[in-house]
Amino acid sequence: MKVIEKAVELILRIGGKDSFVDIKSTRTKMNNAAKWLMPKLNNIAVEYDAVQGIPVAWMKPVGAVHKVLFYLHGGAYVVGSIETHKNLAGTIAGQANINALVVDYRLAPEHPYPAALEDAVYVYKHLLENGYHPDNIAIGGDSAGGGLTMSVLLYLRDNELQLPNCAVLLCPWLDLTNSSSTYQTNKDVMLKKEDLDSAVQMYTAGKEDIRHPYVSPLYGQLRGLPPI
């Protein structure tokens, strides 16, 4: 019970007043909360690496087959990291008996759009160039990572690049206009609309069209994509 109480306390603290104002502090809090919230990894090796300066982490279950879950973490494009999501990706990989690769793509406001998309596409192409056939790659992510997953798929399709076998979206953030009625009807203690609106401004630097398909995939033409 003490662990659960500590986790709840950390969640509420992260989602407290002005949580997206002091971004560096919020990032630290999320990394600390992950130590309490994420399931422990058993029989899974963690290997840190970098792809042309982009930090990545391999989660390698014992006996895994040569397939990979290419995982993009959530965090509204302004927070989140390998540390906050490696155990989640590793747990999924362990259940599927495949490897997982978690990408520390660049975050806003230091690196607004299209930095995250560029990093994700670059690392995906790196996989293709280093022995992974697209049929053996699943791409996925949660929240902003789920939205970024869709952005990557649209970019790959539009540029006639090889698409992965399938995609997995966990509560994806697909519409950065934040205009759905559910923002009024659902009261989330952690994700407040004003925080997400602030994150959108940081991610787009106030310059990009929020309805651009690579920013808000909901407004794209969702054809010619792998199973989602």
Side-chain angles (χ1 to χ4, degrees):
M1 287 301 294
K2 288 185 178 180
V3 172
I4 295 174
E5 290 171 1
K6 182 66 174 179
V8 171
E9 176 188 341
L10 287 167
I11 290 174
L12 293 175
R13 191 183 304 163
I14 293 168
K17 184 180 179 182
D18 299 330
S19 61
F20 279 6
V21 173
D22 186 351
I23 291 297
K24 291 184 178 180
S25 175
T26 301
R27 290 171 185 166
T28 299
K29 291 175 184 176
M30 284 191 67
N31 285 336
N32 291 337
K35 298 175 183 178
W36 294 90
L37 296 175
M38 294 298 107
K40 300 298 181 182
L41 295 175
N42 296 312
N43 301 316
I44 297 177
V46 181
E47 298 180 5
Y48 292 91
D49 200 353
V51 177
Q52 285 298 105
I54 304 168
V56 299
W58 282 97
M59 319 303 294
K60 295 186 174 182
V62 174
V65 298
H66 190 68
K67 297 183 178 183
V68 61
L69 168 64
F70 180 72
Y71 197 85
L72 301 168
H73 68 77
Y77 297 108
V78 297
V79 296
S81 67
I82 287 173
E83 297 309 313
T84 60
H85 285 72
K86 67 180 182 181
N87 288 32
L88 171 59
T91 298
I92 296 172
Q95 292 294 317
N97 195 38
I98 63 176
N99 298 314
L101 181 65
V102 186
V103 182
D104 240 347
Y105 55 84
R106 286 172 291 170
L107 299 175
E110 298 94 330
H111 305 284
Y113 172 88
L117 177 60
E118 290 173 345
D119 288 356
V121 169
Y122 190 91
V123 177
Y124 175 79
K125 291 167 69 175
H126 177 80
L127 284 177
L128 297 182
E129 295 165 359
N130 285 271
Y132 278 94
H133 191 278
D135 286 347
N136 292 328
I137 302 175
I139 185 172
D142 62 284
S143 193
L148 185 55
T149 293
M150 286 299 300
S151 298
V152 169
L153 291 178
L154 294 176
Y155 180 92
L156 295 176
R157 181 203 62 191
D158 293 347
N159 289 274
E160 299 183 349
L161 298 170
Q162 293 176 299
L163 290 160
N165 183 288
C166 61
V168 180
L169 311 182
L170 307 178
C171 302
W173 193 18
L174 301 175
D175 181 6
L176 271 64
T177 68
N178 298 337
S179 57
S180 168
S181 62
T182 54
Y183 281 100
Q184 304 302 323
T185 57
N186 292 340
K187 302 300 181 182
D188 194 302
V189 298
M190 184 174 176
L191 293 175
K192 298 178 176 61
K193 184 177 184 301
E194 54 267 30
D195 283 342
L196 294 178
D197 288 341
S198 176
V200 171
Q201 290 301 308
M202 287 186 274
Y203 182 56
T204 63
K207 300 175 182 178
E208 297 296 332
D209 177 7
I210 297 176
R211 287 181 170 80
H212 190 291
Y214 296 168
V215 176
S216 294
L218 187 68
Y219 297 97
Q221 295 296 318
L222 306 181
R223 303 189 184 97
L225 303 175
I228 298 170

